[in-house]
């Protein structure tokens, strides 16, 4: 689990997976961070109210292999009380076709 503090810079990475080619649209990746801590359930609707960053999907490192290029971006950790929070990476490939990944993040000690 990532341990961080309010105001720190966190960076996320994802593989291009052939979706960062010049002919592909440059959709935005949403980074959502729950306001509910320590394992409490939160709905997708509530997570969407807590978008803390929007990162361009095609922000990728140079490379000849379109599938394996590393893409990503960074954001500042917003104000939250100490605890464990749900962090979500969310990206729409096609209309209403969402890809998501989640992780627990500990803020503070």
């Amino acid at each position: 689990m990532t341990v961080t503090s309010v105001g720190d810079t966190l960076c996320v990475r994802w593989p291009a997976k052939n979706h960062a080619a010049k002919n592909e649209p440059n959709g935005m990746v949403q980074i959502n961070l729950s306001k509910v801590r320590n394992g409490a359930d939160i709905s997708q609707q509530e997570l969407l109210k807590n978008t803390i960053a929007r990162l361009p999907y095609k922000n990728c490192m140079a490379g000849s292999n379109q599938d394996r290029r590393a893409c990503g971006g960074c954001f500042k950790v917003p104000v939250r009380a100490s605890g464990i929070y749900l962090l979500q990476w969310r990206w729409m490939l096609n209309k209403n076709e969402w890809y998501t990944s989640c992780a627990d993040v500990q803020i503070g000690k």
Side-chain angles (χ1 to χ4, degrees), residues 14 19-27 56-60 69 71:
W14 55 86
H19 299 300
K22 289 180 182 178
N23 65 333
E24 293 281 342
N26 192 16
Y57 183 87
K58 291 169 64 170
N59 185 32
C60 303
R69 290 188 307 152
C71 307

Side-chain angles (χ1 to χ4, degrees), residues 5 34 44 59 62 93 103 107:
S5 298
S34 70
Q44 181 63 52
N59 185 32
L93 171 61
I107 298 175

Side-chain angles (χ1 to χ4, degrees), residues 82-96:
S82 292
I84 297 172
Y85 293 85
L86 175 67
L87 180 77
Q88 181 188 57
W89 176 96
R90 182 174 166 89
W91 174 66
M92 186 169 57
L93 171 61
N94 298 309
K95 186 174 182 178
N96 295 321

Side-chain angles (χ1 to χ4, degrees), residues 3-107:
V3 178
T4 189
S5 298
V6 169
D8 282 354
T9 298
L10 289 184
C11 297
V12 292
R13 298 284 178 254
W14 55 86
K17 300 306 289 177
N18 293 323
H19 299 300
K22 289 180 182 178
N23 65 333
E24 293 281 342
N26 192 16
M28 300 305 282
V29 171
Q30 287 178 263
I31 304 298
N32 303 314
L33 182 66
S34 70
K35 287 193 174 180
V36 177
R37 61 187 168 141
N38 299 332
D41 287 336
I42 185 170
S43 69
Q44 181 63 52
Q45 186 176 20
E46 286 300 311
L47 265 176
L48 292 174
K49 294 177 184 176
N50 294 289
T51 299
I52 60 170
R54 294 183 190 278
L55 308 171
Y57 183 87
K58 291 169 64 170
N59 185 32
C60 303
M61 296 179 185
S64 59
N65 187 324
Q66 292 289 325
D67 185 53
R68 294 190 180 138
R69 290 188 307 152
C71 307
C74 300
F75 57 91
K76 295 280 186 190
V77 176
V79 173
R80 296 284 192 277
S82 292
I84 297 172
Y85 293 85
L86 175 67
L87 180 77
Q88 181 188 57
W89 176 96
R90 182 174 166 89
W91 174 66
M92 186 169 57
L93 171 61
N94 298 309
K95 186 174 182 178
N96 295 321
E97 183 181 340
W98 292 94
Y99 287 77
T100 61
S101 187
C102 296
D104 288 333
V105 176
Q106 181 176 334
I107 298 175

